[in-house]
Amino acid sequence: MKFLDTREEIVDLAASLFQRGYSVGSAGNISVRVDGGYLITPTNSSLGRLDAGRLSLVDLGWNHISGDAPSKEVVMHRAMYEARPDTGAIVHLHSTHVTALSCLTPNGEPLLQPHTPYLVMRLGENIPLVPYYKPGDPNMESDIFEAAKEARAIVLGNHGSIVAGPTLVNAVDSAEELEVSAKLALLLRGRDTRPLTSEEINALMSR
């Protein structure tokens, strides 16, 4: 995809997420790997009102090159890209149900169990929880890096989610699936449920 097309894709998909309530105000951010660096949404920007020409461009060392200043949560994106070199794009959201789930005590069980094939096929069997950090705190980087080695979607304690994908469309689709799965988990919380069996999960993972 051409550089200008990538900018427009970020604006279009970000607006779609905003219009459907996956982000509000200036919450959430998106990044995409491009030749020589990364495009990332600017700090304090709304996903619903982005300007393609003002997206932040950083080099491979995460130094600001052009556009507005990058999101203060750039450390999360850096950790995910470094842990998962095949990542092409990252979506960070404060979507309602994932954020609600992120505020609950795990009680020794995963916040999200593999109840549907769609969660497993898109994001795998386990979605790790990283403890709460103040937004932009550089100390979160090592925890996200370690969690991302095993998973491309992470729930951030009392915060939201961060999801990686090979393309921006894939990352957006996966972030949406995570939100729907979180809503389902909240609806099922405290009930007797039947998560998918190991055999069923393995059959999905081998597709």
Side-chain angles (χ1 to χ4, degrees):
M1 178 179 291
K2 295 180 180 178
F3 191 60
L4 291 177
D5 291 342
T6 301
R7 287 177 175 271
E8 293 298 336
E9 184 181 43
I10 292 172
V11 171
D12 290 346
L13 290 175
S16 174
L17 288 168
F18 183 86
Q19 290 160 6
R20 290 177 293 131
Y22 285 86
S23 69
V24 297
S26 60
N29 36 75
I30 290 172
S31 67
V32 176
R33 188 192 299 271
V34 294
D35 289 343
Y38 307 88
L39 282 169
I40 186 166
T41 52
T43 188
N44 295 322
S45 61
S46 168
L47 294 188
R49 298 182 292 274
L50 294 175
D51 180 335
R54 296 179 64 179
L55 294 176
S56 179
L57 177 65
V58 297
D59 64 17
L60 293 173
W62 296 90
N63 301 299
H64 185 204
I65 300 300
S66 64
D68 291 350
S71 168
K72 65 178 178 291
E73 295 183 312
V74 69
V75 293
M76 297 193 304
H77 294 255
R78 182 168 62 201
M80 292 286 280
Y81 283 113
E82 290 181 358
R84 306 185 68 83
D86 60 341
T87 293
I90 290 170
V91 175
H92 164 54
L93 298 174
H94 302 175
S95 54
T96 301
H97 296 94
V98 172
T99 303
L101 202 63
S102 79
C103 298
L104 298 177
T105 303
N107 295 324
E109 295 183 354
L111 285 178
L112 281 162
Q113 295 196 52
H115 282 111
T116 71
Y118 313 105
L119 176 67
V120 174
M121 288 188 291
R122 279 220 163 267
L123 296 169
E125 180 180 357
N126 298 306
I127 310 296
L129 171 69
V130 167
Y132 171 77
Y133 287 93
K134 178 182 176 181
D137 185 342
N139 293 313
M140 73 173 72
E141 189 164 0
S142 60
D143 278 356
I144 292 176
F145 177 82
E146 291 301 321
K149 287 180 180 179
E150 304 298 329
R152 63 187 191 92
I154 298 169
V155 175
L156 306 166
N158 301 84
H159 189 156
S161 65
I162 183 164
V163 179
T167 66
L168 180 55
V169 169
N170 180 279
V172 167
D173 287 348
S174 297
E176 292 175 359
E177 183 62 44
L178 183 60
E179 170 64 5
V180 170
S181 297
K183 181 177 181 179
L184 181 63
L186 290 168
L187 288 170
L188 294 175
R189 195 170 176 86
R191 299 170 181 264
D192 291 330
T193 65
R194 191 200 81 90
L196 298 178
T197 65
S198 297
E199 291 77 11
E200 290 166 340
I201 291 169
N202 290 338
L204 293 167
M205 301 292 280
S206 63
R207 289 176 72 251

Short mmCIF file of all heavy atoms in Angstrom, two decimals, residues 79-110:
data_model
loop_
_atom_site.label_atom_id
_atom_site.label_comp_id
_atom_site.label_asym_id
_atom_site.label_seq_id
_atom_site.Cartn_x
_atom_site.Cartn_y
_atom_site.Cartn_z
N ALA A 79 6.55 -1.75 22.49
CA ALA A 79 6.70 -3.06 23.13
C ALA A 79 6.08 -4.17 22.29
O ALA A 79 6.66 -5.25 22.13
CB ALA A 79 6.06 -3.04 24.52
N MET A 80 4.92 -3.91 21.71
CA MET A 80 4.24 -4.92 20.90
C MET A 80 5.02 -5.21 19.62
O MET A 80 5.20 -6.38 19.23
CB MET A 80 2.82 -4.47 20.55
CG MET A 80 1.86 -4.39 21.73
SD MET A 80 1.31 -6.01 22.32
CE MET A 80 0.04 -6.41 21.13
N TYR A 81 5.48 -4.17 18.94
CA TYR A 81 6.24 -4.39 17.70
C TYR A 81 7.53 -5.14 17.97
O TYR A 81 7.94 -6.02 17.19
CB TYR A 81 6.56 -3.05 17.03
CG TYR A 81 5.41 -2.41 16.29
CD1 TYR A 81 4.84 -1.22 16.74
CD2 TYR A 81 4.90 -2.98 15.12
CE1 TYR A 81 3.79 -0.62 16.06
CE2 TYR A 81 3.85 -2.38 14.44
CZ TYR A 81 3.29 -1.21 14.91
OH TYR A 81 2.25 -0.62 14.23
N GLU A 82 8.20 -4.83 19.06
CA GLU A 82 9.47 -5.49 19.37
C GLU A 82 9.26 -6.95 19.77
O GLU A 82 10.07 -7.81 19.43
CB GLU A 82 10.20 -4.72 20.47
CG GLU A 82 10.73 -3.37 19.98
CD GLU A 82 11.48 -2.60 21.04
OE1 GLU A 82 11.56 -3.08 22.20
OE2 GLU A 82 11.99 -1.51 20.72
N ALA A 83 8.15 -7.23 20.46
CA ALA A 83 7.87 -8.61 20.87
C ALA A 83 7.37 -9.46 19.72
O ALA A 83 7.57 -10.67 19.70
CB ALA A 83 6.85 -8.62 22.00
N ARG A 84 6.70 -8.80 18.74
CA ARG A 84 6.09 -9.53 17.64
C ARG A 84 6.53 -8.89 16.32
O ARG A 84 5.84 -8.02 15.76
CB ARG A 84 4.57 -9.50 17.77
CG ARG A 84 4.05 -10.00 19.13
CD ARG A 84 2.55 -10.08 19.17
NE ARG A 84 2.06 -11.13 18.29
CZ ARG A 84 1.99 -12.42 18.63
NH1 ARG A 84 2.40 -12.82 19.82
NH2 ARG A 84 1.53 -13.31 17.77
N PRO A 85 7.69 -9.29 15.79
CA PRO A 85 8.24 -8.65 14.59
C PRO A 85 7.36 -8.75 13.35
O PRO A 85 7.55 -7.99 12.40
CB PRO A 85 9.57 -9.40 14.39
CG PRO A 85 9.92 -9.95 15.73
CD PRO A 85 8.61 -10.29 16.37
N ASP A 86 6.40 -9.68 13.34
CA ASP A 86 5.51 -9.82 12.19
C ASP A 86 4.33 -8.85 12.23
O ASP A 86 3.50 -8.83 11.32
CB ASP A 86 4.99 -11.25 12.10
CG ASP A 86 4.20 -11.69 13.32
OD1 ASP A 86 4.33 -11.04 14.39
OD2 ASP A 86 3.44 -12.68 13.23
N THR A 87 4.27 -8.02 13.26
CA THR A 87 3.15 -7.08 13.41
C THR A 87 3.24 -5.95 12.40
O THR A 87 4.29 -5.34 12.22
CB THR A 87 3.15 -6.49 14.84
OG1 THR A 87 2.84 -7.55 15.77
CG2 THR A 87 2.11 -5.39 14.98
N GLY A 88 2.10 -5.67 11.76
CA GLY A 88 2.03 -4.58 10.80
C GLY A 88 1.25 -3.39 11.30
O GLY A 88 1.39 -2.28 10.78
N ALA A 89 0.41 -3.61 12.32
CA ALA A 89 -0.41 -2.52 12.85
C ALA A 89 -0.89 -2.87 14.25
O ALA A 89 -0.99 -4.04 14.62
CB ALA A 89 -1.61 -2.27 11.94
N ILE A 90 -1.19 -1.82 15.03
CA ILE A 90 -1.63 -1.98 16.42
C ILE A 90 -2.79 -1.03 16.69
O ILE A 90 -2.77 0.13 16.27
CB ILE A 90 -0.48 -1.71 17.40
CG1 ILE A 90 0.55 -2.84 17.30
CG2 ILE A 90 -0.97 -1.56 18.83
CD1 ILE A 90 1.84 -2.57 18.04
N VAL A 91 -3.79 -1.55 17.40
CA VAL A 91 -4.96 -0.76 17.79
C VAL A 91 -5.09 -0.81 19.31
O VAL A 91 -5.14 -1.89 19.90
CB VAL A 91 -6.25 -1.30 17.13
CG1 VAL A 91 -7.48 -0.56 17.65
CG2 VAL A 91 -6.16 -1.20 15.62
N HIS A 92 -5.13 0.37 19.92
CA HIS A 92 -5.35 0.47 21.37
C HIS A 92 -6.67 1.19 21.60
O HIS A 92 -6.88 2.29 21.09
CB HIS A 92 -4.22 1.25 22.04
CG HIS A 92 -4.55 1.71 23.43
ND1 HIS A 92 -4.99 0.85 24.41
CD2 HIS A 92 -4.53 2.95 23.99
CE1 HIS A 92 -5.21 1.54 25.53
NE2 HIS A 92 -4.95 2.82 25.29
N LEU A 93 -7.60 0.53 22.32
CA LEU A 93 -8.92 1.08 22.56
C LEU A 93 -9.28 1.06 24.04
O LEU A 93 -8.75 0.25 24.81
CB LEU A 93 -9.98 0.28 21.79
CG LEU A 93 -9.88 0.26 20.26
CD1 LEU A 93 -10.92 -0.70 19.69
CD2 LEU A 93 -10.05 1.66 19.68
N HIS A 94 -10.22 1.95 24.40
CA HIS A 94 -10.84 1.92 25.72
C HIS A 94 -12.31 1.50 25.55
O HIS A 94 -13.20 2.09 26.15
CB HIS A 94 -10.79 3.30 26.38
CG HIS A 94 -9.42 3.87 26.54
ND1 HIS A 94 -9.22 5.15 27.03
CD2 HIS A 94 -8.20 3.37 26.29
CE1 HIS A 94 -7.92 5.41 27.06
NE2 HIS A 94 -7.28 4.34 26.61
N SER A 95 -12.55 0.52 24.71
CA SER A 95 -13.92 0.11 24.43
C SER A 95 -14.61 -0.36 25.72
O SER A 95 -13.98 -0.90 26.62
CB SER A 95 -13.95 -1.00 23.36
OG SER A 95 -13.12 -2.07 23.73
N THR A 96 -15.91 -0.15 25.80
CA THR A 96 -16.64 -0.24 27.06
C THR A 96 -16.50 -1.58 27.77
O THR A 96 -16.17 -1.64 28.96
CB THR A 96 -18.13 0.07 26.83
OG1 THR A 96 -18.25 1.37 26.26
CG2 THR A 96 -18.90 0.00 28.14
N HIS A 97 -16.75 -2.67 27.07
CA HIS A 97 -16.80 -3.97 27.74
C HIS A 97 -15.42 -4.50 28.09
O HIS A 97 -15.23 -5.10 29.15
CB HIS A 97 -17.59 -4.97 26.89
CG HIS A 97 -19.03 -4.58 26.73
ND1 HIS A 97 -19.47 -3.85 25.65
CD2 HIS A 97 -20.10 -4.78 27.53
CE1 HIS A 97 -20.77 -3.63 25.77
NE2 HIS A 97 -21.17 -4.18 26.91
N VAL A 98 -14.44 -4.27 27.23
CA VAL A 98 -13.06 -4.67 27.58
C VAL A 98 -12.59 -3.86 28.79
O VAL A 98 -11.98 -4.41 29.72
CB VAL A 98 -12.09 -4.47 26.40
CG1 VAL A 98 -10.66 -4.69 26.84
CG2 VAL A 98 -12.43 -5.42 25.25
N THR A 99 -12.89 -2.57 28.80
CA THR A 99 -12.46 -1.74 29.92
C THR A 99 -13.16 -2.17 31.20
O THR A 99 -12.54 -2.24 32.27
CB THR A 99 -12.74 -0.26 29.63
OG1 THR A 99 -12.08 0.11 28.42
CG2 THR A 99 -12.22 0.63 30.75
N ALA A 100 -14.45 -2.49 31.13
CA ALA A 100 -15.17 -2.99 32.31
C ALA A 100 -14.52 -4.28 32.81
O ALA A 100 -14.29 -4.46 34.01
CB ALA A 100 -16.63 -3.23 31.96
N LEU A 101 -14.21 -5.17 31.89
CA LEU A 101 -13.59 -6.44 32.26
C LEU A 101 -12.22 -6.20 32.89
O LEU A 101 -11.83 -6.89 33.84
CB LEU A 101 -13.45 -7.31 31.01
CG LEU A 101 -13.32 -8.82 31.21
CD1 LEU A 101 -14.57 -9.40 31.85
CD2 LEU A 101 -13.06 -9.50 29.87
N SER A 102 -11.51 -5.20 32.40
CA SER A 102 -10.16 -4.92 32.90
C SER A 102 -10.16 -4.41 34.34
O SER A 102 -9.11 -4.38 34.98
CB SER A 102 -9.46 -3.90 32.00
OG SER A 102 -9.89 -2.58 32.26
N CYS A 103 -11.34 -4.00 34.83
CA CYS A 103 -11.46 -3.50 36.20
C CYS A 103 -11.86 -4.58 37.19
O CYS A 103 -11.93 -4.31 38.40
CB CYS A 103 -12.48 -2.37 36.25
SG CYS A 103 -12.06 -0.91 35.26
N LEU A 104 -12.15 -5.78 36.71
CA LEU A 104 -12.57 -6.87 37.59
C LEU A 104 -11.38 -7.65 38.11
O LEU A 104 -10.32 -7.70 37.48
CB LEU A 104 -13.50 -7.82 36.82
CG LEU A 104 -14.81 -7.21 36.31
CD1 LEU A 104 -15.58 -8.26 35.51
CD2 LEU A 104 -15.66 -6.69 37.45
N THR A 105 -11.57 -8.28 39.26
CA THR A 105 -10.54 -9.15 39.83
C THR A 105 -10.61 -10.50 39.13
O THR A 105 -11.68 -11.11 39.05
CB THR A 105 -10.78 -9.34 41.34
OG1 THR A 105 -10.80 -8.06 41.96
CG2 THR A 105 -9.69 -10.19 41.96
N PRO A 106 -9.48 -11.01 38.62
CA PRO A 106 -9.52 -12.26 37.86
C PRO A 106 -9.94 -13.49 38.69
O PRO A 106 -10.41 -14.47 38.13
CB PRO A 106 -8.06 -12.42 37.39
CG PRO A 106 -7.47 -11.07 37.47
CD PRO A 106 -8.15 -10.38 38.60
N ASN A 107 -9.73 -13.47 40.00
CA ASN A 107 -10.09 -14.60 40.87
C ASN A 107 -9.41 -15.90 40.45
O ASN A 107 -9.99 -16.99 40.54
CB ASN A 107 -11.61 -14.81 40.91
CG ASN A 107 -12.34 -13.64 41.55
OD1 ASN A 107 -11.83 -13.05 42.50
ND2 ASN A 107 -13.50 -13.30 41.04
N GLY A 108 -8.20 -15.79 39.97
CA GLY A 108 -7.44 -16.99 39.61
C GLY A 108 -7.80 -17.58 38.27
O GLY A 108 -7.21 -18.57 37.86
N GLU A 109 -8.79 -17.02 37.58
CA GLU A 109 -9.20 -17.53 36.27
C GLU A 109 -8.93 -16.47 35.21
O GLU A 109 -8.89 -15.28 35.51
CB GLU A 109 -10.69 -17.88 36.27
CG GLU A 109 -11.06 -19.02 37.20
CD GLU A 109 -12.53 -19.37 37.09
OE1 GLU A 109 -13.26 -18.65 36.38
OE2 GLU A 109 -12.94 -20.35 37.71
N PRO A 110 -8.78 -16.89 33.96
CA PRO A 110 -8.61 -15.90 32.89
C PRO A 110 -9.82 -14.98 32.81
O PRO A 110 -10.96 -15.41 33.04
CB PRO A 110 -8.49 -16.76 31.63
CG PRO A 110 -8.12 -18.13 32.11
CD PRO A 110 -8.75 -18.28 33.46
#
